[in-house]
Amino acid sequence: MAATGATANTTATATVTYRPIRRSDIDAIVEQFYRTWGVDEPGDPAISRMTSSHFTLHYLEPATRGDIAEGPDGTFMGVTLTRVAGRPTLFDDTADELARIDAELDATPEGAAALARTNAWHALETRMEDDIAINSRCQGELELFLVAPAARGHGVGGTLWRRMLDHFAAEGVERYYLHTDSTCDVGFYDHKGLRRVAERYAKDHADEPAGNGEDVFIYEGGIEA
């Protein structure tokens, strides 16, 4: 059973605490993003970590809520970053920090190439959204859902998911969506009852590669009254 913590948005079990994101959590999220999805880039090995920083900040910039799961010793165990249309964003300096990372990437030929591939991925996601006009019917988006490997199988992902749905319900969100790809456990979203509303298979777009050959999907779900 969860016990109420120090604030209304903080809960704890015997081993895991769930609380709102702090600015100081970003480095831990970047590190786990790198370990989970980081891609080895040619040239300077620091480029992979910079692209992980870029992705994390890209998802953080529009986010209006962040939920952190941490272990009893403060170890990062998971995060959800969510956006509710019309709500204020989390941190005012995220755009500036993202611009700094992008400038650092753009300073070398290898970094500039990595940034170009990354921006092409973002552009693809935007096109997929526009093709189905999903923002016209969905008030919420799950920007990032990341659970550390050591936390999997211990209910962390499920608890973060339930907290996200509770937050959306409290904010009056009726429908929400998320982007994912074939490097992720997309079966989780099928199990949760979401509907796949857009898909792009790499084999059908050999002339327009995105990422490292992943298939890309958008899932949509509703909030029960």
Side-chain angles (χ1 to χ4, degrees):
M1 179 180 294
T4 302
T7 71
N9 290 325
T10 302
T11 60
T13 67
T15 57
V16 184
T17 297
Y18 299 88
R19 59 165 176 80
I21 191 174
R22 303 172 186 141
R23 185 67 176 78
S24 57
D25 293 317
I26 295 174
D27 287 346
I29 299 172
V30 170
E31 178 63 23
Q32 195 58 60
F33 190 101
Y34 171 74
R35 293 184 181 187
T36 304
W37 293 304
V39 176
D40 290 334
E41 296 283 357
D44 186 353
I47 291 174
S48 294
R49 289 188 178 273
M50 284 191 283
T51 55
S52 293
S53 292
H54 169 100
F55 272 107
T56 299
L57 293 166
H58 172 82
Y59 297 131
L60 179 63
E61 184 179 6
T64 60
R65 178 184 168 94
D67 222 6
I68 294 288
E70 63 181 13
D73 58 353
T75 302
F76 173 85
M77 299 184 74
V79 62
T80 54
L81 296 177
T82 54
R83 174 183 62 84
V84 174
R87 301 296 189 266
T89 55
L90 286 167
F91 304 115
D92 293 339
D93 62 342
T94 306
D96 292 339
E97 182 63 13
L98 178 57
R100 185 189 68 78
I101 291 292
D102 286 356
E104 193 171 350
L105 279 167
D106 212 26
T108 66
E110 295 89 352
L115 181 60
R117 289 191 294 273
T118 300
N119 284 331
W121 180 274
H122 299 326
L124 168 62
E125 290 187 321
T126 299
R127 289 200 305 273
M128 291 178 69
E129 290 177 10
D130 291 345
D131 285 347
I132 59 174
I134 198 164
N135 283 293
S136 67
R137 63 180 182 273
C138 290
Q139 306 85 27
E141 180 181 4
L142 175 55
E143 297 281 350
L144 177 64
F145 183 27
L146 176 58
V147 177
R152 293 171 191 168
H154 298 283
V156 171
T159 301
L160 284 170
W161 187 264
R162 288 190 296 274
R163 286 171 62 90
M164 177 195 76
L165 295 180
D166 288 346
H167 169 65
F168 279 157
E171 290 287 337
V173 170
E174 296 178 350
R175 303 204 64 76
Y176 66 96
Y177 72 97
L178 60 92
H179 289 270
T180 189
D181 61 61
S182 51
T183 67
C184 302
D185 179 13
V186 297
F188 178 88
Y189 304 120
D190 295 320
H191 176 70
K192 292 297 183 183
L194 279 74
R195 184 168 63 97
R196 186 182 295 182
V197 292
E199 51 194 12
R200 179 191 186 275
Y201 291 96
K203 64 181 178 61
D204 298 327
H205 297 272
D207 58 333
E208 187 192 10
N212 289 279
E214 299 92 344
D215 301 324
V216 187
F217 312 111
I218 296 179
Y219 278 80
E220 181 179 345
I223 304 298
E224 296 182 1

